[in-house]
Amino acid sequence: MNDMAHVYKMQSSFLAWQCKTRQYMVREQGGKPDDAIMPQLCLSTKNNETKPLGYIITVLNKSVSHSKLPEMKHIARHTNDPAQRREKALKFLGEYYYQYSNEFSDCLTATFQQMTKQIQTLLDVGKCILKFDASHISYQLPCKVNRLQHGDAYFATTWWHNFLFNPNLSADTVVVAFQPNWEEAKTNQPIEVAEVEDW
């Protein structure tokens, strides 16, 4: 399998898995994050070693051309009742939002309440490994890391997505983007034969 085919298979299999697990999460678990969307964040250090920094909750963003940001904002602004807002968000995300994995960007994001020393170190290094491990499925994604600014489309999507479930989310929240290097990504899944139905 050539490099381009490998990259395509790796990326598409990961996105398909993420969409499937996130759809199940919002439909069957009330949106409660589980291991499938909470990778271990490992700092890339010298000598190809890694230093675990903890686990993070990632957001899978639709590509800009398929953005549902206006719908998210509408749900958020429609009511001041956090429980009602959460219920509407779960209904919205559980219906068709995760139906087609080819509508999503491969750029994962996460929010942090404040700029800690660890997050600053992560941004200074500029790279990490995200280790996903859930239900006997694992992916290790080497990623470039950068902080998103307020004007970035994925900053907005990430912030409003998380605000639907966390009414106390601050406007000063730090949003970090993780862009996988698919050529160096690893998985225990047989991606050579995997096909994604909706591609």
Side-chain angles (χ1 to χ4, degrees):
M1 184 165 56
N2 62 44
D3 288 345
M4 289 301 294
H6 172 79
V7 167
Y8 171 80
K9 289 289 187 180
M10 182 68 76
Q11 178 179 325
S12 61
S13 65
F14 175 77
L15 291 178
W17 175 58
Q18 283 290 293
C19 283
K20 181 179 180 181
T21 57
R22 288 169 193 264
Q23 187 174 65
Y24 179 84
M25 183 185 72
V26 295
R27 287 180 176 179
E28 306 296 333
Q29 299 175 186
K32 183 179 179 181
D34 59 21
D35 290 344
I37 74 164
M38 295 178 62
Q40 184 180 43
L41 171 61
C42 297
L43 185 67
S44 298
T45 61
K46 295 180 180 179
N47 303 321
N48 294 320
E49 296 178 351
T50 58
K51 177 183 178 183
L53 296 182
Y55 292 83
I56 62 172
I57 300 174
T58 57
V59 174
L60 188 66
N61 299 278
K62 280 189 178 287
S63 60
V64 174
S65 60
H66 293 283
S67 175
K68 298 295 182 185
L69 182 58
E71 288 86 342
M72 290 184 184
K73 288 183 176 180
H74 175 74
I75 294 172
R77 293 167 172 166
H78 185 70
T79 177
N80 290 323
D81 183 342
Q84 225 177 57
R85 184 185 295 143
R86 180 185 181 86
E87 182 180 349
K88 289 181 180 295
L90 288 174
K91 185 174 186 297
F92 169 68
L93 295 174
E95 288 179 339
Y96 302 108
Y97 190 80
Y98 292 112
Q99 195 73 25
Y100 302 107
S101 60
N102 62 330
E103 293 183 354
F104 286 83
S105 165
D106 64 334
C107 180
L108 296 158
T109 53
T111 57
F112 300 92
Q113 291 186 352
Q114 57 187 350
M115 181 60 73
T116 64
K117 184 178 179 180
Q118 280 191 328
I119 299 305
Q120 186 60 63
T121 299
L122 174 67
L123 293 171
D124 290 342
V125 172
K127 58 182 180 178
C128 72
I129 296 177
L130 296 182
K131 296 183 178 181
F132 292 83
D133 193 356
S135 302
H136 308 294
I137 297 175
S138 66
Y139 284 86
Q140 289 193 28
L141 308 183
C143 297
K144 289 184 178 179
V145 181
N146 69 289
R147 180 179 181 177
L148 297 182
Q149 302 304 314
H150 282 258
D152 189 282
Y154 292 150
F155 179 101
T157 301
T158 303
W159 194 91
W160 284 99
H161 174 282
N162 285 0
F163 179 72
L164 293 174
F165 299 95
N166 178 12
N168 298 316
L169 193 66
S170 168
D172 297 323
T173 295
V174 176
V175 179
V176 176
F178 301 88
Q179 181 60 58
N181 178 347
W182 296 107
E183 292 182 359
E184 297 181 6
K186 298 177 182 179
T187 181
N188 65 351
Q189 298 303 291
I191 66 164
E192 292 81 7
V193 296
E195 294 292 342
V196 182
E197 293 181 0
D198 51 16
W199 277 79

